[in-house]
Amino acid sequence: SLMHMHPPDAVIVLRRKNLLARYLSACIAGQHGRYHVYAEANIAPPRPVTVDVNAALQSFAWHDDELQADVAAYENVAVAHISYETLRDDWADETAQLQSFLGVEPRAIFPETKKQSRFSCCRHLIENVDEVCAAIKASRWSNHLDEWLETN
C-alpha cells in the first residue's frame, strides 16, 4: 500500500463518539439524498426514522473494527485521536492542540463552513426508540446508551 511505501510522520484520526447519532445521520441523509446540510440549504427538518436494529449494531461493530485497524496500521506513527463532538464543541482549543501535535505554531483557524445542527438529541429521531434501547442495552455499547440518546 501507499502508506507502507511512504509512511506518514503523524496521523490524525477523527471519529464520532456517538455511534447512534452517526448511524441516524446516515439514515436522515438518505431521506433527502444530502449528507452535508449547511445554513443556506432549504431542506425540510428530518423525519423520525425506524431504526433497523441489526443494521445499527453492525454499523457500530464496523466502526469499532475500523478503529482497531487504524490502531494497528499506525502502531509506529504518532497518532492524535480526536472526536467529531470534541472538535465541534471546542474548535479553537482542539485545532490549537492538533497544530502543536503536527509541530506547527498554533494560530487561529476557522472552518470555511459549519454544519448546521439539525436535531438536538437522538431520542426524538427514532420511531422505535424502545426497541433500539433494548438492543443497545443488551450489547457491548450499553454503557453509552444514555449519552447517545441525549446528544447528537
Side-chain angles (χ1 to χ4, degrees):
S1 80
L2 185 60
M3 192 177 94
H4 292 336
M5 292 170 46
H6 303 285
D9 295 324
V11 172
I12 298 170
V13 177
L14 176 66
R15 297 284 182 175
R16 194 156 189 176
K17 286 189 303 189
N18 188 334
L19 300 184
L20 181 58
R22 181 179 173 276
Y23 182 80
L24 287 171
S25 183
C27 292
I28 291 165
Q31 289 178 356
H32 51 71
R34 293 181 68 179
Y35 282 81
H36 303 283
V37 179
Y38 299 98
E40 69 279 359
N42 187 16
I43 295 176
R47 296 181 315 271
V49 298
T50 299
V51 171
D52 178 332
V53 174
N54 291 326
L57 294 176
Q58 288 174 353
S59 173
F60 302 167
W62 176 86
H63 181 274
D64 285 356
D65 291 346
E66 286 295 306
L67 188 57
Q68 292 307 313
D70 286 346
V71 168
Y74 304 130
E75 67 183 354
N76 297 317
V77 178
V79 178
H81 290 271
I82 185 168
S83 74
Y84 163 87
E85 292 86 351
T86 303
L87 185 61
R88 177 196 63 202
D89 296 342
D90 195 4
W91 175 266
D93 186 53
E94 291 302 315
T95 56
Q97 289 182 38
L98 289 172
Q99 290 174 79
S100 293
F101 168 76
L102 294 172
V104 297
E105 185 69 31
R107 61 183 177 87
I109 58 175
F110 304 95
E112 291 183 21
T113 58
K114 184 173 182 177
K115 187 174 179 180
Q116 301 299 305
S117 179
R118 305 283 291 166
F119 54 93
S120 62
C121 70
C122 293
R123 177 182 302 280
H124 303 300
L125 286 173
I126 304 171
E127 286 189 345
N128 57 332
V129 71
D130 292 335
E131 179 186 4
V132 171
C133 288
I136 294 174
K137 282 180 187 177
S139 75
R140 67 183 187 225
W141 299 281
S142 61
N143 60 324
H144 299 291
L145 178 61
D146 291 336
E147 176 189 356
W148 286 358
L149 284 174
E150 302 307 326
T151 60
N152 71 11

